[in-house]
Coordinates of all heavy atoms in Angstrom, one line a residue:
R1 N -75.0 -117.9 39.3 CA -74.2 -116.9 39.9 C -74.7 -115.5 39.9 O -74.3 -114.6 40.7 CB -72.8 -116.9 39.2 CG -72.8 -116.5 37.8 CD -71.4 -116.4 37.2 NE -71.3 -116.1 35.8 CZ -71.4 -117.1 34.9 NH1 -71.4 -118.3 35.2 NH2 -71.4 -116.7 33.6
N2 N -75.7 -115.2 39.0 CA -76.3 -113.9 38.9 C -77.6 -113.8 39.6 O -78.3 -112.7 39.6 CB -76.6 -113.5 37.4 CG -75.3 -113.4 36.6 OD1 -74.2 -113.2 37.2 ND2 -75.3 -113.5 35.3
L3 N -78.0 -114.8 40.3 CA -79.3 -114.8 41.0 C -79.1 -114.3 42.4 O -78.1 -114.5 43.1 CB -79.9 -116.2 41.1 CG -80.3 -116.9 39.7 CD1 -80.8 -118.3 40.0 CD2 -81.3 -116.0 39.0
S4 N -80.2 -113.7 42.9 CA -80.2 -113.3 44.3 C -80.3 -114.5 45.2 O -80.7 -115.6 44.8 CB -81.4 -112.3 44.6 OG -82.6 -113.0 44.4
K5 N -80.1 -114.3 46.5 CA -80.3 -115.4 47.5 C -81.7 -115.9 47.4 O -81.9 -117.2 47.5 CB -79.9 -114.9 48.9 CG -80.1 -116.0 49.9 CD -79.7 -115.5 51.3 CE -79.9 -116.6 52.4 NZ -79.6 -116.1 53.7
G6 N -82.7 -115.1 47.3 CA -84.1 -115.5 47.3 C -84.3 -116.4 46.1 O -85.0 -117.4 46.2
N7 N -83.8 -116.0 44.9 CA -84.0 -116.8 43.7 C -83.3 -118.2 43.8 O -83.8 -119.2 43.2 CB -83.6 -116.0 42.5 CG -84.7 -115.0 42.1 OD1 -85.9 -115.3 42.1 ND2 -84.2 -113.8 41.7
K8 N -82.2 -118.2 44.5 CA -81.5 -119.5 44.7 C -82.3 -120.4 45.6 O -82.4 -121.6 45.3 CB -80.1 -119.2 45.3 CG -79.1 -118.6 44.3 CD -77.8 -118.3 45.0 CE -76.8 -117.6 44.1 NZ -75.5 -117.3 44.7
I9 N -83.0 -119.8 46.6 CA -83.8 -120.6 47.4 C -85.0 -121.1 46.6 O -85.4 -122.3 46.8 CB -84.4 -119.7 48.6 CG1 -83.2 -119.4 49.5 CG2 -85.4 -120.5 49.4 CD1 -83.5 -118.4 50.6
K10 N -85.5 -120.4 45.7 CA -86.6 -120.8 44.8 C -86.2 -122.0 44.0 O -87.0 -123.0 43.8 CB -87.1 -119.7 43.9 CG -87.7 -118.5 44.6 CD -88.1 -117.4 43.6 CE -88.5 -116.2 44.3 NZ -88.8 -115.1 43.3
I11 N -85.0 -122.1 43.5 CA -84.5 -123.2 42.8 C -84.6 -124.5 43.7 O -84.9 -125.6 43.3 CB -83.1 -123.0 42.2 CG1 -83.1 -122.0 41.1 CG2 -82.5 -124.3 41.7 CD1 -81.7 -121.6 40.6
G12 N -84.2 -124.3 45.0 CA -84.2 -125.4 45.9 C -85.7 -125.8 46.1 O -85.9 -127.0 46.2
V13 N -86.6 -124.9 46.2 CA -88.0 -125.3 46.4 C -88.5 -126.1 45.2 O -89.2 -127.1 45.3 CB -88.9 -124.0 46.6 CG1 -90.4 -124.4 46.6 CG2 -88.5 -123.3 47.9
V14 N -88.2 -125.6 44.0 CA -88.6 -126.3 42.7 C -88.0 -127.7 42.7 O -88.8 -128.6 42.4 CB -88.2 -125.5 41.5 CG1 -88.5 -126.3 40.2 CG2 -88.9 -124.1 41.4
Q15 N -86.7 -127.9 43.0 CA -86.2 -129.2 42.9 C -86.8 -130.2 43.9 O -86.8 -131.4 43.7 CB -84.6 -129.1 43.0 CG -84.1 -128.7 44.4 CD -84.1 -129.8 45.4 OE1 -83.9 -131.0 45.1 NE2 -84.2 -129.4 46.7
A16 N -87.2 -129.6 45.0 CA -87.9 -130.5 46.0 C -89.2 -131.0 45.6 O -89.7 -132.1 45.9 CB -88.0 -129.8 47.4
L17 N -89.9 -130.1 44.9 CA -91.3 -130.4 44.5 C -91.5 -131.0 43.1 O -92.5 -131.7 42.8 CB -92.1 -129.1 44.5 CG -92.4 -128.4 45.8 CD1 -92.9 -127.0 45.6 CD2 -93.5 -129.2 46.6
M18 N -90.5 -130.9 42.2 CA -90.7 -131.1 40.8 C -91.0 -132.5 40.4 O -91.6 -132.8 39.4 CB -89.5 -130.6 40.0 CG -88.2 -131.4 40.2 SD -86.9 -130.6 39.2 CE -85.5 -131.8 39.5
H19 N -90.6 -133.5 41.2 CA -90.9 -134.9 40.9 C -92.1 -135.4 41.7 O -92.4 -136.6 41.7 CB -89.7 -135.8 41.1 CG -89.2 -135.8 42.5 ND1 -88.8 -134.7 43.2 CD2 -89.0 -136.8 43.4 CE1 -88.4 -135.0 44.4 NE2 -88.5 -136.3 44.6
R20 N -92.9 -134.5 42.2 CA -94.1 -134.8 43.0 C -93.9 -136.0 44.0 O -94.5 -137.0 43.9 CB -95.3 -135.2 42.0 CG -95.8 -134.0 41.2 CD -97.0 -134.4 40.4 NE -97.7 -133.3 39.9 CZ -97.6 -132.8 38.6 NH1 -96.7 -133.4 37.8 NH2 -98.3 -131.8 38.2
P21 N -93.0 -135.8 44.9 CA -92.6 -136.9 45.8 C -93.8 -137.2 46.8 O -94.7 -136.4 47.1 CB -91.4 -136.3 46.6 CG -91.7 -134.8 46.6 CD -92.3 -134.5 45.3
E22 N -93.7 -138.4 47.4 CA -94.6 -138.8 48.4 C -94.4 -138.0 49.7 O -95.3 -137.8 50.5 CB -94.5 -140.3 48.7 CG -94.8 -141.2 47.6 CD -94.5 -142.6 47.9 OE1 -95.0 -143.1 49.0 OE2 -93.7 -143.3 47.2
L23 N -93.2 -137.6 50.0 CA -92.8 -137.0 51.2 C -91.9 -135.7 50.9 O -91.0 -135.8 50.2 CB -92.0 -137.9 52.1 CG -91.4 -137.3 53.4 CD1 -92.5 -136.8 54.4 CD2 -90.5 -138.4 54.1
L24 N -92.3 -134.6 51.5 CA -91.4 -133.4 51.4 C -90.8 -133.2 52.8 O -91.5 -133.1 53.8 CB -92.3 -132.2 51.0 CG -92.7 -132.2 49.6 CD1 -93.9 -131.1 49.4 CD2 -91.6 -131.8 48.7
M25 N -89.5 -133.1 52.8 CA -88.8 -132.7 54.0 C -88.0 -131.4 53.8 O -87.0 -131.4 53.0 CB -87.8 -133.9 54.4 CG -88.5 -135.2 54.7 SD -87.5 -136.5 55.4 CE -87.2 -135.8 57.0
L26 N -88.5 -130.4 54.4 CA -88.0 -129.0 54.0 C -87.4 -128.4 55.3 O -88.1 -128.2 56.3 CB -89.1 -128.2 53.5 CG -90.0 -128.9 52.4 CD1 -91.2 -128.1 52.0 CD2 -89.1 -129.2 51.1
D27 N -86.2 -127.9 55.2 CA -85.5 -127.2 56.3 C -85.6 -125.7 56.0 O -84.9 -125.2 55.1 CB -84.1 -127.7 56.4 CG -83.4 -127.4 57.7 OD1 -84.1 -126.6 58.5 OD2 -82.3 -127.9 58.0
E28 N -86.5 -125.0 56.7 CA -86.7 -123.6 56.5 C -87.0 -123.2 55.1 O -86.2 -122.5 54.4 CB -85.4 -122.8 57.0 CG -85.0 -123.1 58.4 CD -85.8 -122.3 59.4 OE1 -86.6 -121.4 59.0 OE2 -85.7 -122.5 60.6
P29 N -88.1 -123.7 54.5 CA -88.4 -123.5 53.1 C -88.6 -122.1 52.6 O -88.5 -121.8 51.4 CB -89.6 -124.4 52.8 CG -90.3 -124.5 54.2 CD -89.2 -124.5 55.2
T30 N -89.0 -121.2 53.5 CA -89.3 -119.8 53.1 C -88.3 -118.8 53.6 O -88.5 -117.6 53.4 CB -90.7 -119.4 53.6 OG1 -90.7 -119.3 55.1 CG2 -91.8 -120.3 53.2
F31 N -87.3 -119.3 54.2 CA -86.2 -118.4 54.8 C -85.6 -117.6 53.6 O -85.1 -118.2 52.7 CB -85.2 -119.1 55.6 CG -84.2 -118.3 56.2 CD1 -84.5 -117.5 57.3 CD2 -82.9 -118.2 55.7 CE1 -83.5 -116.7 57.9 CE2 -81.9 -117.4 56.3 CZ -82.2 -116.6 57.4
G32 N -85.5 -116.3 53.7 CA -84.9 -115.5 52.7 C -85.8 -115.1 51.6 O -85.4 -114.3 50.6
L33 N -87.1 -115.5 51.6 CA -88.0 -115.1 50.6 C -88.8 -113.9 51.0 O -89.1 -113.7 52.2 CB -89.0 -116.2 50.2 CG -88.4 -117.5 49.7 CD1 -89.5 -118.5 49.5 CD2 -87.6 -117.2 48.4
D34 N -89.3 -113.1 50.1 CA -90.2 -111.9 50.5 C -91.5 -112.5 50.8 O -91.9 -113.6 50.5 CB -90.2 -110.9 49.3 CG -90.9 -111.4 48.1 OD1 -92.1 -111.9 48.2 OD2 -90.3 -111.4 47.0
P35 N -92.4 -111.7 51.5 CA -93.6 -112.2 52.1 C -94.6 -112.8 51.0 O -95.2 -113.8 51.3 CB -94.3 -110.9 52.7 CG -93.1 -110.1 53.1 CD -92.1 -110.3 52.0
L36 N -94.6 -112.2 49.8 CA -95.5 -112.7 48.8 C -95.0 -114.1 48.3 O -95.8 -115.0 48.1 CB -95.5 -111.8 47.6 CG -96.3 -110.5 47.8 CD1 -96.1 -109.6 46.5 CD2 -97.7 -110.7 48.1
M37 N -93.7 -114.3 48.2 CA -93.2 -115.6 47.8 C -93.3 -116.6 48.9 O -93.5 -117.8 48.7 CB -91.7 -115.5 47.4 CG -91.6 -114.8 46.0 SD -92.3 -115.8 44.6 CE -93.8 -114.8 44.3
Q38 N -93.2 -116.2 50.2 CA -93.5 -117.1 51.3 C -94.9 -117.6 51.2 O -95.1 -118.9 51.4 CB -93.3 -116.3 52.6 CG -91.8 -116.0 52.9 CD -91.7 -115.2 54.2 OE1 -92.7 -114.9 54.9 NE2 -90.5 -114.8 54.6

């Protein structure tokens, strides 16, 4: 609840990657991130 929108998106990115899946399906994975994080 104390995180910015960008940091919440980062949690989403981590959960998608963290189990090293065979397939990544990402809907707008960098939307809301600053350019360096993109």
Side-chain angles (χ1 to χ4, degrees):
R1 63 176 174 272
N2 295 338
L3 295 180
S4 66
K5 180 179 179 180
N7 280 318
K8 291 177 182 178
I9 293 170
K10 292 176 188 178
I11 291 177
V13 173
V14 172
Q15 67 80 29
L17 290 165
M18 67 181 184
H19 59 301
R20 291 188 168 96
E22 296 174 55
L23 172 65
L24 286 165
M25 299 189 71
L26 312 172
D27 197 352
E28 303 281 352
T30 65
F31 183 73
L33 299 178
D34 66 55
L36 290 177
M37 285 298 104
Q38 289 178 1

